[in-house]
Amino acid sequence: MKQPGSVQQTLRHTALGLSDERAVEMYKTMMLARRFDERGQLLQRAGKVNFHISGITQEPSQVAMGFAMDLKNDWFLPYYRDYGFVLSLGMTVKDLMLSVFAKGEDPNSAGRQMPGHFGSKRLRIVTGSSPVTTQVPHATGLALAAKMRGEPSVAIVTFGEGSSNQGDFHEGCNFAGVHQLPVIFVCENNQYAISMPLAKQTRGRICDRALGYGFPGIRVDGNDPLEVYRVVKEARDRAIAGEGPTLIEIMTYRVTAHSTSDNDMAYRTKEEVDLHRGKDSLPVFKKYLEEAGLWSDDQETKLQADIRAMIDEANEYAEKAPFQSTDDAFRYVYAEQSGEEL
Amino acid sequence: MKQPGSVQQTLRHTALGLSDERAVEMYKTMMLARRFDERGQLLQRAGKVNFHISGITQEPSQVAMGFAMDLKNDWFLPYYRDYGFVLSLGMTVKDLMLSVFAKGEDPNSAGRQMPGHFGSKRLRIVTGSSPVTTQVPHATGLALAAKMRGEPSVAIVTFGEGSSNQGDFHEGCNFAGVHQLPVIFVCENNQYAISMPLAKQTRGRICDRALGYGFPGIRVDGNDPLEVYRVVKEARDRAIAGEGPTLIEIMTYRVTAHSTSDNDMAYRTKEEVDLHRGKDSLPVFKKYLEEAGLWSDDQETKLQADIRAMIDEANEYAEKAPFQSTDDAFRYVYAEQSGEEL
Amino acid sequence: MPVIEYIDAIRLAMKEEMERDNDVFVLGEDVGLKGGVFGTTKGLQLQFGEQRALDAPLAESAIAGVAIGAAMAGMKPIAEMQYSDFMFPATNQIISEAAKIRYRSNNDWDCPIVIRAPIGGGVFGGLYHSQCPESVFFGTPGLKIVAPATAYDAKGLLKAAIRDPDPVIFFENKKCYRLISDEVPDEDYIVPIGKANVMREGSDITVIGYSMPLHFAMQAAEDLSQEHGIEAHILDLRTIQPLDREGILEAVSKTGKVLIIHEDNKTGGIGAEVAAIIAEELLYDLDAPIRRLCGPDVPAMPINPPGEKHFLLNKEKVKAAMLELARY
Amino acid sequence: MPVIEYIDAIRLAMKEEMERDNDVFVLGEDVGLKGGVFGTTKGLQLQFGEQRALDAPLAESAIAGVAIGAAMAGMKPIAEMQYSDFMFPATNQIISEAAKIRYRSNNDWDCPIVIRAPIGGGVFGGLYHSQCPESVFFGTPGLKIVAPATAYDAKGLLKAAIRDPDPVIFFENKKCYRLISDEVPDEDYIVPIGKANVMREGSDITVIGYSMPLHFAMQAAEDLSQEHGIEAHILDLRTIQPLDREGILEAVSKTGKVLIIHEDNKTGGIGAEVAAIIAEELLYDLDAPIRRLCGPDVPAMPINPPGEKHFLLNKEKVKAAMLELARY
Ligand SMILES: Cc1ncc(C[n+]2csc(CCOP(=O)(O)OP(=O)(O)O)c2C)c(N)n1
Ligand SMILES: Cc1ncc(C[n+]2csc(CCOP(=O)(O)OP(=O)(O)O)c2C)c(N)n1
Ligand SMILES: [Mg+2]
Ligand SMILES: [Mg+2]
């Protein structure tokens, strides 16, 4: 890393084709995700909401993913910890707050689903469910549609390492491999699936599975968002060039309990968690921007204030917003206008 | 290969620890499977039975598998083409004929299931079904039981390369990998799944999938039964030593149509089939035995006569045998004596 | 009007819909060059290319799941399950995903897929090539389920299913494929989902069913009419979810005596719901207990011929039940 | 007799059976150190070691399939599905395998597994942590299905299920876990599979159900007795497959008016079969149409509190239906 102002060397983000503005934007989005996530935890602890699930320390790589994609054309299939990812795709804190409070205006599900179950057709974020890994074949299907229609769209789907042991992972990857579809499979390997450490989920490396499907598998350090950006961007380029899928395993760590319903001290130690919390790449990325001369203390102060205001406002709005009316609670089991008349 | 009587070099089967008698027995079993299979086809063509499914040219490796296992302790989960395999495990031609004719005395299912759906508790052949690949997690479960009970049992399960794309393959392998269970997963890659060539089933190599589960994956030439024997035996030794599962991919080719209900000329050429039929390892293995001084024309003549007689007898017996009575047709939905009284 | 086979009606429905709408495509095992193991997709790959008659790896959860993904992208996939017995690996994708996509997203997303799956026995298919899995999917809100008995309905319902904005399971009966032929117009038409059909008018007893067994009832009805002057009113449900409540109640009202028939096993089958609806709405109009004649409660039918025959409904069994009811 | 919670009854049943029989073991996600996400397996790993309280990779088809394999080797596995909503990936293993192993092998093989799965809503679990999947598995011959409402039955039925030589699905209600406590003897006992239980004697109306909603009916019955002198006869099915036909018919005969309740959605639910059985056997003993009060026919319940409440049964809704029936 270099001193502020020194520009003798090309900066990493510049070398990756990221403008200074975009690099800064990445940082802001990471921080927004972090603060939103923290607020979610607080709200649950305060008894304002029933449940929160956290992506803390996974956000830098999530945001990097989003920044590597084409928001106009691509398809996004995030999983429940992906606040950083969906915020980088255009979802707002207000949207997320409405979801946390399960309010009618929530664009994800009108407060029908749990928080973390994202979906917005406008943002090309595909509606998700709770049974893990079902989204993997969906991503393959979206990529198949893109290929059939000749559209420049890539589908990117995320899931945990525990979830990668479901049959749907295998079937979805293999199908995409056969048909060389434009899809990126991203495993956010945070080394726990609720209480179960990686070693109890699998004895192999997730990234190595790609070999059996005939496409590249890459492991990347989740604490290096610029490297994540690079790898995802390359995968996207390959996909667009018709070179097929890529499996990316992002190595990270779940520093919170699985969710607010979980007590992780029943199955791991505080020391282990603290060790990993210490590797948080958010301050590291901030430092990188500072050293690149792109970020200052003043900017930081302002950012924190802005974020705080935004979250407060969203929080307040969402808390006051109405639930979906019970008149509407059972609507949309089927289309209200049947296609038969078409 | 050597001249009859010349023993300067150690013979391959001897080096593998196979006695001359066992090597000859292997050949006899292969030939029995072949002739049974041919009879099955004839019976179907003659309209005596509705259906036959063939394992022709896959038998040499199937028999090699059986010979590498411990019939007293191991568990066997064959798939529908495994006549050679089950014959090497103690199933008789009469048993198979009773199954082909769907007669009540059929030990596999009393004529309830299609032929090729093997099962015999006595022979430790685990009852199978038609939905492919469900047997893979079962094998893992049998291996788990062996490990829990400290029994010296290894489970060996076979399936086609098409079937290896089912989620159950992935889930069953991965579970076995995590718990380092004594199980051998054998893919009989005959390069077609009904009409679909390998390239439409997967872009990877099946054997490479083992890497992602953290255990060895080995590809072996199905036309070299002694090599198949060696590989399976090694896998068994590893399993018994507590070193966990092995995935074996046997490269072979389906020379018949998928079944008697299929017309393979709709999707492949006669030339392609003939090319592979020419690689049939049954005559090659015979030649090997002859050159080793273990087999003669006279023995061959006698073998063919014996097999002919055995099959004729079984055929006649099975044809005349009664179907399961309709009184019994609906028995055994549940245990007839409930365990609640235990 | 040309008389065509049930299987051709299915094939033609797909062909015509694929001609009509570029977003329609079919995927499944062996649907390409081979044209499906029964021949339902024969010729489609030749006409529409490899992508629109897409051979899928042997993995039903992916066939359903990929179809769902493509549908969410705006395509209109027809996912073929080679046998309905083999659709269970796709249950999670069908029940947790397809059925709930519209509801869970508050109408933001939809999932217009068709899942075709051949049901029924009588083809010496044994335990796993003969099953009727209706009861597994019936009762899952968000799914529509149709099960035609005639070539006319097969074509019209499949077209309706393809054009429907929601997931539709299309249970085609493999015994009907070549056994059932009837008049099918050349012109485009649909059979609306959710509407039952009176196959025969009568005033003595009502028979309600769907798929293959209705043909036994029709034959039995002719016999009973000639032999005993008993006139059966026969209702083909056609759509088994959502059920046509009005159609059912009207048909029962006609006679006050009802026999429900299906090949799926009795307990927990569609017939239970039909009976429950009648018991809820028309109890005082009934002149006899509600009877069901269905597959026996065993895991599936044996392959051996006497066992298979013992399991299956046929004209005689249905006739006996109809006569008994008429005489009640 | 000690009063214990429903969840402890489940835990104790496993603990005691594991002590009694070395072949019994439990496998599932997080069943080890964590003791399950609800705590049903708490302490088992400590007592019995890692193998007999086995953390399984996140793959339900394998959890079921491996359990089936182990059962065929003579073990007595208890496979835990973390939520019943997540058992659908295991459908093929349950329906195609577990249910058919004995039948397809003509009694040569058997499959004595228990599949435990928590059902039901009211815990702000939203669409996928609240479902009642009974109707998916109901109607599959070869499976037994139990769904206890009380701690006593939970313990006794789970023990019976573990000792049963056939596959049993054990649907435990997550709302009951800590809400329901009752007397459970210290001594070993089982509750026989296949026998319903009269929870309350009465002569005016019969309520038939299973699992959590019965508690609403019991509360409502007390109110109705005090407020209107209406005495409800309440039958807990306990086993939903095979249904206790005699128990059902006897309970209906007592009053001639029947209300069936369950949380699973109405169409295609267990209630349909219960109604069909009654309509088949007791039509002329009925003094009112057979009523069902069930979950609405929507994919699943919303997480937002008014939506969840709107979906779920409660004492008031059940009471209103009982009163209406009594006054019919
Ligand atoms: C099919 C299914 N089974 C079980 C669950 C319950 N469950 C929710 S999250 C989770 C662990 C997921 O672990 P992982 O995939 O590693 O993702 P992480 O939570 O660690 O990000 C489990 C078991 C589920 N949602 N779906
Ligand atoms: C779950 C399931 N889907 C579809 C089928 C129909 N089917 C039977 S065999 C077969 C092809 C199997 O190919 P492969 O696994 O390569 O084995 P092979 O027949 O070539 O030996 C298919 C699709 C089935 N039996 N089970
Ligand atoms: Mg994880
Ligand atoms: Mg093959």
PDB file of all heavy atoms in Angstrom, chain A residues 102 111-114 130 166 195-196 200-201 262 330, chain D residues 30 34 50 56-58 60 124 128-129 303-304 310:
ATOM      1  N   ALA A 102     -41.637  -6.413   8.369  1.00  0.00           N
ATOM      2  CA  ALA A 102     -42.682  -7.222   7.705  1.00  0.00           C
ATOM      3  C   ALA A 102     -43.900  -6.391   7.323  1.00  0.00           C
ATOM      4  O   ALA A 102     -45.045  -6.820   7.513  1.00  0.00           O
ATOM      5  CB  ALA A 102     -43.071  -8.419   8.576  1.00  0.00           C
ATOM      6  N   GLY A 111     -44.053  -8.094   3.320  1.00  0.00           N
ATOM      7  CA  GLY A 111     -44.054  -8.539   4.718  1.00  0.00           C
ATOM      8  C   GLY A 111     -44.594  -9.932   4.904  1.00  0.00           C
ATOM      9  O   GLY A 111     -45.007 -10.304   5.998  1.00  0.00           O
ATOM     10  N   ARG A 112     -44.605 -10.704   3.841  1.00  0.00           N
ATOM     11  CA  ARG A 112     -45.041 -12.095   3.986  1.00  0.00           C
ATOM     12  C   ARG A 112     -43.884 -12.988   4.429  1.00  0.00           C
ATOM     13  O   ARG A 112     -44.063 -13.880   5.241  1.00  0.00           O
ATOM     14  CB  ARG A 112     -45.587 -12.609   2.651  1.00  0.00           C
ATOM     15  CG  ARG A 112     -46.894 -11.938   2.285  1.00  0.00           C
ATOM     16  CD  ARG A 112     -47.387 -12.332   0.902  1.00  0.00           C
ATOM     17  NE  ARG A 112     -48.726 -11.789   0.706  1.00  0.00           N
ATOM     18  CZ  ARG A 112     -49.545 -12.139  -0.274  1.00  0.00           C
ATOM     19  NH1 ARG A 112     -49.151 -13.013  -1.180  1.00  0.00           N
ATOM     20  NH2 ARG A 112     -50.734 -11.610  -0.365  1.00  0.00           N
ATOM     21  N   GLN A 113     -42.714 -12.726   3.845  1.00  0.00           N
ATOM     22  CA  GLN A 113     -41.579 -13.596   4.140  1.00  0.00           C
ATOM     23  C   GLN A 113     -40.714 -13.031   5.267  1.00  0.00           C
ATOM     24  O   GLN A 113     -40.792 -11.859   5.621  1.00  0.00           O
ATOM     25  CB  GLN A 113     -40.715 -13.751   2.886  1.00  0.00           C
ATOM     26  CG  GLN A 113     -41.403 -14.528   1.774  1.00  0.00           C
ATOM     27  CD  GLN A 113     -40.439 -15.469   1.083  1.00  0.00           C
ATOM     28  OE1 GLN A 113     -40.044 -16.480   1.657  1.00  0.00           O
ATOM     29  NE2 GLN A 113     -40.053 -15.140  -0.129  1.00  0.00           N
ATOM     30  N   MET A 114     -39.860 -13.896   5.785  1.00  0.00           N
ATOM     31  CA  MET A 114     -38.872 -13.464   6.769  1.00  0.00           C
ATOM     32  C   MET A 114     -37.935 -12.437   6.133  1.00  0.00           C
ATOM     33  O   MET A 114     -37.759 -12.425   4.919  1.00  0.00           O
ATOM     34  CB  MET A 114     -38.026 -14.653   7.210  1.00  0.00           C
ATOM     35  CG  MET A 114     -38.792 -15.739   7.907  1.00  0.00           C
ATOM     36  SD  MET A 114     -37.689 -17.095   8.385  1.00  0.00           S
ATOM     37  CE  MET A 114     -37.225 -16.541  10.029  1.00  0.00           C
ATOM     38  N   SER A 130     -36.896 -20.004   1.802  1.00  0.00           N
ATOM     39  CA  SER A 130     -36.029 -20.489   2.880  1.00  0.00           C
ATOM     40  C   SER A 130     -35.338 -21.816   2.599  1.00  0.00           C
ATOM     41  O   SER A 130     -34.190 -21.988   3.013  1.00  0.00           O
ATOM     42  CB  SER A 130     -36.800 -20.625   4.185  1.00  0.00           C
ATOM     43  OG  SER A 130     -37.501 -19.465   4.515  1.00  0.00           O
ATOM     44  N   GLN A 166     -26.467 -29.772  -0.725  1.00  0.00           N
ATOM     45  CA  GLN A 166     -27.773 -30.190  -1.212  1.00  0.00           C
ATOM     46  C   GLN A 166     -27.650 -30.693  -2.646  1.00  0.00           C
ATOM     47  O   GLN A 166     -26.870 -30.150  -3.443  1.00  0.00           O
ATOM     48  CB  GLN A 166     -28.739 -28.996  -1.224  1.00  0.00           C
ATOM     49  CG  GLN A 166     -29.185 -28.521   0.136  1.00  0.00           C
ATOM     50  CD  GLN A 166     -30.330 -29.345   0.713  1.00  0.00           C
ATOM     51  OE1 GLN A 166     -30.997 -30.085  -0.011  1.00  0.00           O
ATOM     52  NE2 GLN A 166     -30.535 -29.227   2.011  1.00  0.00           N
ATOM     53  N   SER A 195     -24.741 -24.655  13.612  1.00  0.00           N
ATOM     54  CA  SER A 195     -23.723 -25.087  14.590  1.00  0.00           C
ATOM     55  C   SER A 195     -22.636 -25.945  13.972  1.00  0.00           C
ATOM     56  O   SER A 195     -21.689 -26.339  14.654  1.00  0.00           O
ATOM     57  CB  SER A 195     -24.404 -25.904  15.699  1.00  0.00           C
ATOM     58  OG  SER A 195     -24.785 -27.184  15.213  1.00  0.00           O
ATOM     59  N   MET A 196     -22.795 -26.272  12.705  1.00  0.00           N
ATOM     60  CA  MET A 196     -21.898 -27.284  12.158  1.00  0.00           C
ATOM     61  C   MET A 196     -20.710 -26.678  11.417  1.00  0.00           C
ATOM     62  O   MET A 196     -20.866 -26.006  10.405  1.00  0.00           O
ATOM     63  CB  MET A 196     -22.689 -28.229  11.257  1.00  0.00           C
ATOM     64  CG  MET A 196     -23.664 -29.072  12.090  1.00  0.00           C
ATOM     65  SD  MET A 196     -24.653 -30.128  11.059  1.00  0.00           S
ATOM     66  CE  MET A 196     -23.385 -31.039  10.217  1.00  0.00           C
ATOM     67  N   LYS A 200     -17.666 -30.795   9.307  1.00  0.00           N
ATOM     68  CA  LYS A 200     -18.802 -31.708   9.422  1.00  0.00           C
ATOM     69  C   LYS A 200     -19.744 -31.597   8.226  1.00  0.00           C
ATOM     70  O   LYS A 200     -20.712 -32.348   8.120  1.00  0.00           O
ATOM     71  CB  LYS A 200     -19.563 -31.436  10.721  1.00  0.00           C
ATOM     72  CG  LYS A 200     -18.751 -31.853  11.934  1.00  0.00           C
ATOM     73  CD  LYS A 200     -19.638 -32.186  13.109  1.00  0.00           C
ATOM     74  CE  LYS A 200     -18.816 -32.901  14.168  1.00  0.00           C
ATOM     75  NZ  LYS A 200     -19.535 -33.036  15.430  1.00  0.00           N
ATOM     76  N   GLN A 201     -19.474 -30.624   7.372  1.00  0.00           N
ATOM     77  CA  GLN A 201     -20.309 -30.473   6.179  1.00  0.00           C
ATOM     78  C   GLN A 201     -19.686 -31.147   4.972  1.00  0.00           C
ATOM     79  O   GLN A 201     -20.381 -31.677   4.120  1.00  0.00           O
ATOM     80  CB  GLN A 201     -20.531 -28.980   5.865  1.00  0.00           C
ATOM     81  CG  GLN A 201     -21.479 -28.282   6.800  1.00  0.00           C
ATOM     82  CD  GLN A 201     -22.921 -28.728   6.640  1.00  0.00           C
ATOM     83  OE1 GLN A 201     -23.288 -29.378   5.678  1.00  0.00           O
ATOM     84  NE2 GLN A 201     -23.743 -28.406   7.626  1.00  0.00           N
ATOM     85  N   ASP A 262     -30.102 -18.051  17.670  1.00  0.00           N
ATOM     86  CA  ASP A 262     -29.044 -19.040  17.911  1.00  0.00           C
ATOM     87  C   ASP A 262     -28.083 -18.538  18.990  1.00  0.00           C
ATOM     88  O   ASP A 262     -27.816 -17.349  19.077  1.00  0.00           O
ATOM     89  CB  ASP A 262     -28.280 -19.258  16.591  1.00  0.00           C
ATOM     90  CG  ASP A 262     -27.111 -20.225  16.727  1.00  0.00           C
ATOM     91  OD1 ASP A 262     -27.271 -21.245  17.423  1.00  0.00           O
ATOM     92  OD2 ASP A 262     -26.048 -19.956  16.128  1.00  0.00           O
ATOM     93  N   PHE A 330     -54.340 -13.037   1.598  1.00  0.00           N
ATOM     94  CA  PHE A 330     -54.436 -14.297   0.860  1.00  0.00           C
ATOM     95  C   PHE A 330     -54.478 -14.091  -0.653  1.00  0.00           C
ATOM     96  O   PHE A 330     -54.795 -15.011  -1.398  1.00  0.00           O
ATOM     97  CB  PHE A 330     -55.670 -15.086   1.320  1.00  0.00           C
ATOM     98  CG  PHE A 330     -55.623 -15.497   2.765  1.00  0.00           C
ATOM     99  CD1 PHE A 330     -56.789 -15.822   3.432  1.00  0.00           C
ATOM    100  CD2 PHE A 330     -54.417 -15.571   3.459  1.00  0.00           C
ATOM    101  CE1 PHE A 330     -56.764 -16.217   4.770  1.00  0.00           C
ATOM    102  CE2 PHE A 330     -54.377 -15.953   4.798  1.00  0.00           C
ATOM    103  CZ  PHE A 330     -55.556 -16.268   5.450  1.00  0.00           C
TER     104      PHE A 330
ATOM    105  N   ASP D  30     -27.522 -30.204  13.022  1.00  0.00           N
ATOM    106  CA  ASP D  30     -27.363 -29.529  14.317  1.00  0.00           C
ATOM    107  C   ASP D  30     -27.908 -30.322  15.498  1.00  0.00           C
ATOM    108  O   ASP D  30     -28.186 -29.751  16.545  1.00  0.00           O
ATOM    109  CB  ASP D  30     -28.044 -28.139  14.281  1.00  0.00           C
ATOM    110  CG  ASP D  30     -27.561 -27.291  13.116  1.00  0.00           C
ATOM    111  OD1 ASP D  30     -26.393 -26.897  13.129  1.00  0.00           O
ATOM    112  OD2 ASP D  30     -28.335 -27.055  12.180  1.00  0.00           O
ATOM    113  N   LYS D  34     -25.299 -28.635  19.482  1.00  0.00           N
ATOM    114  CA  LYS D  34     -26.363 -27.650  19.669  1.00  0.00           C
ATOM    115  C   LYS D  34     -27.622 -28.288  20.245  1.00  0.00           C
ATOM    116  O   LYS D  34     -28.417 -27.620  20.883  1.00  0.00           O
ATOM    117  CB  LYS D  34     -26.669 -26.965  18.335  1.00  0.00           C
ATOM    118  CG  LYS D  34     -27.675 -25.819  18.455  1.00  0.00           C
ATOM    119  CD  LYS D  34     -27.790 -25.014  17.165  1.00  0.00           C
ATOM    120  CE  LYS D  34     -29.018 -24.106  17.182  1.00  0.00           C
ATOM    121  NZ  LYS D  34     -28.886 -22.939  18.080  1.00  0.00           N
ATOM    122  N   GLU D  50     -20.784 -38.887  19.645  1.00  0.00           N
ATOM    123  CA  GLU D  50     -20.989 -38.189  18.370  1.00  0.00           C
ATOM    124  C   GLU D  50     -21.723 -39.028  17.347  1.00  0.00           C
ATOM    125  O   GLU D  50     -22.440 -38.517  16.497  1.00  0.00           O
ATOM    126  CB  GLU D  50     -19.637 -37.778  17.768  1.00  0.00           C
ATOM    127  CG  GLU D  50     -19.149 -36.438  18.261  1.00  0.00           C
ATOM    128  CD  GLU D  50     -18.054 -35.872  17.365  1.00  0.00           C
ATOM    129  OE1 GLU D  50     -18.297 -35.730  16.146  1.00  0.00           O
ATOM    130  OE2 GLU D  50     -16.964 -35.591  17.873  1.00  0.00           O
ATOM    131  N   ALA D  56     -25.479 -34.301  10.658  1.00  0.00           N
ATOM    132  CA  ALA D  56     -25.434 -34.677   9.238  1.00  0.00           C
ATOM    133  C   ALA D  56     -25.280 -33.431   8.378  1.00  0.00           C
ATOM    134  O   ALA D  56     -25.812 -32.381   8.711  1.00  0.00           O
ATOM    135  CB  ALA D  56     -26.719 -35.399   8.865  1.00  0.00           C
ATOM    136  N   PRO D  57     -24.561 -33.559   7.272  1.00  0.00           N
ATOM    137  CA  PRO D  57     -24.484 -32.423   6.353  1.00  0.00           C
ATOM    138  C   PRO D  57     -25.879 -31.945   5.952  1.00  0.00           C
ATOM    139  O   PRO D  57     -26.853 -32.699   6.010  1.00  0.00           O
ATOM    140  CB  PRO D  57     -23.736 -32.991   5.141  1.00  0.00           C
ATOM    141  CG  PRO D  57     -22.948 -34.138   5.670  1.00  0.00           C
ATOM    142  CD  PRO D  57     -23.779 -34.704   6.791  1.00  0.00           C
ATOM    143  N   LEU D  58     -25.931 -30.716   5.543  1.00  0.00           N
ATOM    144  CA  LEU D  58     -27.187 -30.028   5.219  1.00  0.00           C
ATOM    145  C   LEU D  58     -27.782 -30.588   3.927  1.00  0.00           C
ATOM    146  O   LEU D  58     -27.651 -29.989   2.859  1.00  0.00           O
ATOM    147  CB  LEU D  58     -26.874 -28.527   5.100  1.00  0.00           C
ATOM    148  CG  LEU D  58     -27.946 -27.511   4.734  1.00  0.00           C
ATOM    149  CD1 LEU D  58     -29.298 -27.895   5.264  1.00  0.00           C
ATOM    150  CD2 LEU D  58     -27.551 -26.152   5.250  1.00  0.00           C
ATOM    151  N   GLU D  60     -31.207 -33.033   3.154  1.00  0.00           N
ATOM    152  CA  GLU D  60     -32.285 -33.854   3.708  1.00  0.00           C
ATOM    153  C   GLU D  60     -32.480 -35.179   2.980  1.00  0.00           C
ATOM    154  O   GLU D  60     -32.899 -36.160   3.582  1.00  0.00           O
ATOM    155  CB  GLU D  60     -33.599 -33.074   3.735  1.00  0.00           C
ATOM    156  CG  GLU D  60     -33.675 -32.003   4.819  1.00  0.00           C
ATOM    157  CD  GLU D  60     -32.888 -30.749   4.482  1.00  0.00           C
ATOM    158  OE1 GLU D  60     -32.412 -30.631   3.330  1.00  0.00           O
ATOM    159  OE2 GLU D  60     -32.748 -29.887   5.370  1.00  0.00           O
ATOM    160  N   PHE D 124     -44.042 -16.949  14.194  1.00  0.00           N
ATOM    161  CA  PHE D 124     -43.463 -15.931  13.317  1.00  0.00           C
ATOM    162  C   PHE D 124     -42.342 -16.521  12.469  1.00  0.00           C
ATOM    163  O   PHE D 124     -41.252 -15.987  12.387  1.00  0.00           O
ATOM    164  CB  PHE D 124     -42.983 -14.719  14.117  1.00  0.00           C
ATOM    165  CG  PHE D 124     -44.082 -14.064  14.894  1.00  0.00           C
ATOM    166  CD1 PHE D 124     -44.022 -13.955  16.269  1.00  0.00           C
ATOM    167  CD2 PHE D 124     -45.216 -13.584  14.238  1.00  0.00           C
ATOM    168  CE1 PHE D 124     -45.061 -13.374  16.992  1.00  0.00           C
ATOM    169  CE2 PHE D 124     -46.259 -13.003  14.956  1.00  0.00           C
ATOM    170  CZ  PHE D 124     -46.174 -12.894  16.332  1.00  0.00           C
ATOM    171  N   TYR D 128     -41.981 -20.445   5.315  1.00  0.00           N
ATOM    172  CA  TYR D 128     -41.211 -21.683   5.234  1.00  0.00           C
ATOM    173  C   TYR D 128     -40.738 -22.210   6.584  1.00  0.00           C
ATOM    174  O   TYR D 128     -39.789 -22.977   6.648  1.00  0.00           O
ATOM    175  CB  TYR D 128     -40.013 -21.510   4.304  1.00  0.00           C
ATOM    176  CG  TYR D 128     -40.371 -21.262   2.853  1.00  0.00           C
ATOM    177  CD1 TYR D 128     -40.382 -19.973   2.319  1.00  0.00           C
ATOM    178  CD2 TYR D 128     -40.700 -22.318   2.009  1.00  0.00           C
ATOM    179  CE1 TYR D 128     -40.683 -19.759   0.987  1.00  0.00           C
ATOM    180  CE2 TYR D 128     -41.004 -22.104   0.678  1.00  0.00           C
ATOM    181  CZ  TYR D 128     -40.992 -20.817   0.166  1.00  0.00           C
ATOM    182  OH  TYR D 128     -41.288 -20.609  -1.150  1.00  0.00           O
ATOM    183  N   HIS D 129     -41.326 -21.722   7.638  1.00  0.00           N
ATOM    184  CA  HIS D 129     -41.001 -22.288   8.947  1.00  0.00           C
ATOM    185  C   HIS D 129     -42.292 -22.533   9.718  1.00  0.00           C
ATOM    186  O   HIS D 129     -42.302 -22.544  10.942  1.00  0.00           O
ATOM    187  CB  HIS D 129     -40.092 -21.354   9.753  1.00  0.00           C
ATOM    188  CG  HIS D 129     -38.730 -21.142   9.163  1.00  0.00           C
ATOM    189  ND1 HIS D 129     -38.501 -20.323   8.087  1.00  0.00           N
ATOM    190  CD2 HIS D 129     -37.516 -21.654   9.496  1.00  0.00           C
ATOM    191  CE1 HIS D 129     -37.212 -20.328   7.787  1.00  0.00           C
ATOM    192  NE2 HIS D 129     -36.588 -21.134   8.619  1.00  0.00           N
ATOM    193  N   ILE D 303     -45.504 -13.962   7.596  1.00  0.00           N
ATOM    194  CA  ILE D 303     -44.815 -13.756   8.865  1.00  0.00           C
ATOM    195  C   ILE D 303     -45.381 -12.565   9.628  1.00  0.00           C
ATOM    196  O   ILE D 303     -45.298 -12.532  10.852  1.00  0.00           O
ATOM    197  CB  ILE D 303     -43.294 -13.574   8.648  1.00  0.00           C
ATOM    198  CG1 ILE D 303     -42.550 -13.695   9.987  1.00  0.00           C
ATOM    199  CG2 ILE D 303     -42.973 -12.266   7.962  1.00  0.00           C
ATOM    200  CD1 ILE D 303     -41.042 -13.697   9.876  1.00  0.00           C
ATOM    201  N   ASN D 304     -45.966 -11.608   8.929  1.00  0.00           N
ATOM    202  CA  ASN D 304     -46.427 -10.424   9.659  1.00  0.00           C
ATOM    203  C   ASN D 304     -47.553 -10.826  10.605  1.00  0.00           C
ATOM    204  O   ASN D 304     -48.407 -11.645  10.278  1.00  0.00           O
ATOM    205  CB  ASN D 304     -46.831  -9.301   8.696  1.00  0.00           C
ATOM    206  CG  ASN D 304     -48.048  -9.643   7.879  1.00  0.00           C
ATOM    207  OD1 ASN D 304     -49.177  -9.574   8.366  1.00  0.00           O
ATOM    208  ND2 ASN D 304     -47.826 -10.027   6.633  1.00  0.00           N
ATOM    209  N   HIS D 310     -54.459 -14.132  11.071  1.00  0.00           N
ATOM    210  CA  HIS D 310     -55.550 -14.312  10.113  1.00  0.00           C
ATOM    211  C   HIS D 310     -55.549 -15.744   9.566  1.00  0.00           C
ATOM    212  O   HIS D 310     -56.599 -16.335   9.327  1.00  0.00           O
ATOM    213  CB  HIS D 310     -55.325 -13.307   8.975  1.00  0.00           C
ATOM    214  CG  HIS D 310     -56.418 -13.222   7.977  1.00  0.00           C
ATOM    215  ND1 HIS D 310     -57.740 -13.021   8.317  1.00  0.00           N
ATOM    216  CD2 HIS D 310     -56.393 -13.295   6.609  1.00  0.00           C
ATOM    217  CE1 HIS D 310     -58.470 -12.980   7.211  1.00  0.00           C
ATOM    218  NE2 HIS D 310     -57.686 -13.160   6.170  1.00  0.00           N
TER     219      HIS D 310
END
